Amino acid sequence: MSLDTTVIRELAEHLETCELQARDTPKITLDHPGMDWDDAYAVQDEILRRKLSRGARVAGLKAGLTSFAKMRQMGVETPIFGFLADSFLVPDGGECRHADLIHPKVEPEIVFVTKAPLTGPGCTIAEVLAATDFVLAGIEVIDSRYRDFKFDLKSVVADNCSSSRFVVGGIMRDPRDLDLRTTGAVMEKNGRVVSLGAGAAVLGHPANAVAMLANHLGRRGAGIPAGTLILTGGLTEAVAVEPGDHVALHMQGMGCTSLTFV
Ligand code: 0L1
Ligand code: MG
C-alpha cells in the first residue's frame, strides 16, 4: 500500500459522491500517481463499507474486462473485480433513469449463482461448475465516473469497476445441461442488433471468470460464499445508451432480458 487510510477514505467518499450525484471526475491517479493495486481495492472496499453502513446489502460480485473484445476496447490484459449493491438492481423489463447516470453503457453477461463456497488460490473451472446452482442471462449497465472515459485500470478498480446497475433474467439453467462456451447472445437496442457473441468470449469459458474471482479473493483472505450472484463480464464490447433506449438481450436457452432507459 502506498496511500494512508485518510487518503483512501477521501478518495472513496469522492468517487461514491460522484456515483450518487452522477458527476464525473478526472481519474484519481492524476493526483495519486503512486497508487498501487492494494490501494485501488482498498478504495473500492471503503466505498462498500460506506454503503453497508447506510443499510445497503451486497447483491453480488462481478468480474470485468474478461472478454477479448473488452480487453481490446480497453487496451488491457487483466480482469478486474467489483461488487454489486442491492440498489444497483433493476427488475427484468424495468426502467433505469438515465439522468441518475453519467454516460452509461450496456453489456451482455452470463450470470452464475453459487450453491457452495469457493475459495482460492487454486480454484478451478471444474470446482466452479460443481459449486454452481444455476446460470442466468444478465445485462450490466456500467457507468465510469471518469470524465470522457479517460482512466487507467487502477482508477477503474477504485471506482468499483464502473458498476452502476444490472438486470438478471428469470430463466435459471443448470450449467450441466449447457455448453456455456457455445451459448450465444444477441443484444438489441430499439429492435436493432448492436452486439452478438458466445460464452467462450469470456476467458474461453465464463466459469473461468468465477475461478479467477475466487483466486483474487483468496489472495486477499476472502472467498465466494454459497448463494452469491456473479456477473462474469461482457461477452462483447459495451454499447452506449441514451434516454428512451430499449435494450433486450436474447441469451440462448435463457430467454429474453430487457430494460428501458427513461
Ligand atoms: O464490467 C466491466 O467490464 C468493467 C468495465 C470498466 C471500464 C469501463 O467503464 O468501461
Ligand atoms: Mg461487466
Side-chain angles (χ1 to χ4, degrees), residues 43-252:
V43 173
Q44 187 192 115
D45 288 346
E46 177 61 16
I47 293 175
L48 173 60
R49 196 201 59 74
R50 291 171 60 85
K51 290 187 186 300
L52 295 177
S53 75
R54 295 197 305 269
R57 290 183 50 234
V58 175
L61 301 174
K62 67 171 265 187
L65 309 184
T66 50
S67 77
F68 302 120
K70 287 276 308 197
M71 287 181 193
R72 213 173 26 247
Q73 186 179 33
M74 299 284 307
V76 299
E77 288 168 11
T78 349
I80 52 177
F81 306 99
F83 68 86
L84 304 166
D86 53 353
S87 57
F88 298 174
L89 184 62
V90 177
D92 189 10
E95 294 182 344
C96 179
R97 271 176 49 83
H98 195 281
D100 291 346
L101 307 174
I102 303 163
H103 41 201
K105 295 180 181 179
V106 288
E107 44 188 31
E109 308 213 6
I110 295 176
V111 182
F112 281 58
V113 177
T114 59
K115 61 182 175 189
L118 283 165
T119 48
C123 180
T124 63
I125 181 170
E127 286 172 72
V128 172
L129 290 171
T132 299
D133 199 359
F134 53 86
V135 292
L136 300 160
I139 302 171
E140 183 177 22
V141 182
I142 51 171
D143 190 34
S144 172
R145 268 54 72 169
Y146 295 116
R147 191 162 300 151
D148 301 325
F149 303 99
K150 290 196 179 109
F151 47 51
D152 51 65
L153 222 44
K154 290 181 188 125
S155 297
V156 172
V157 165
D159 184 32
N160 191 24
C161 305
S162 310
S163 304
S164 135
R165 300 286 185 273
F166 69 103
V167 185
V168 291
I171 300 185
M172 302 182 293
R173 296 297 305 269
D174 187 330
R176 287 163 192 76
D177 299 336
L178 303 171
D179 178 358
L180 287 173
R181 292 168 308 155
T182 56
T183 296
V186 176
M187 195 167 68
E188 295 170 348
K189 191 168 82 170
N190 307 323
R192 198 171 60 82
V193 174
V194 284
S195 69
L196 46 99
V202 169
L203 297 167
H205 191 298
N208 267 328
V210 181
M212 288 184 81
L213 171 64
N215 292 331
H216 160 79
L217 291 174
R219 284 190 289 276
R220 307 185 76 225
I224 304 176
T228 302
L229 178 148
I230 302 153
L231 299 187
T232 55
L235 300 175
T236 67
E237 292 179 14
V239 175
V241 285
E242 300 298 333
D245 282 345
H246 175 72
V247 177
L249 169 63
H250 305 270
M251 186 79 81
Q252 192 178 2

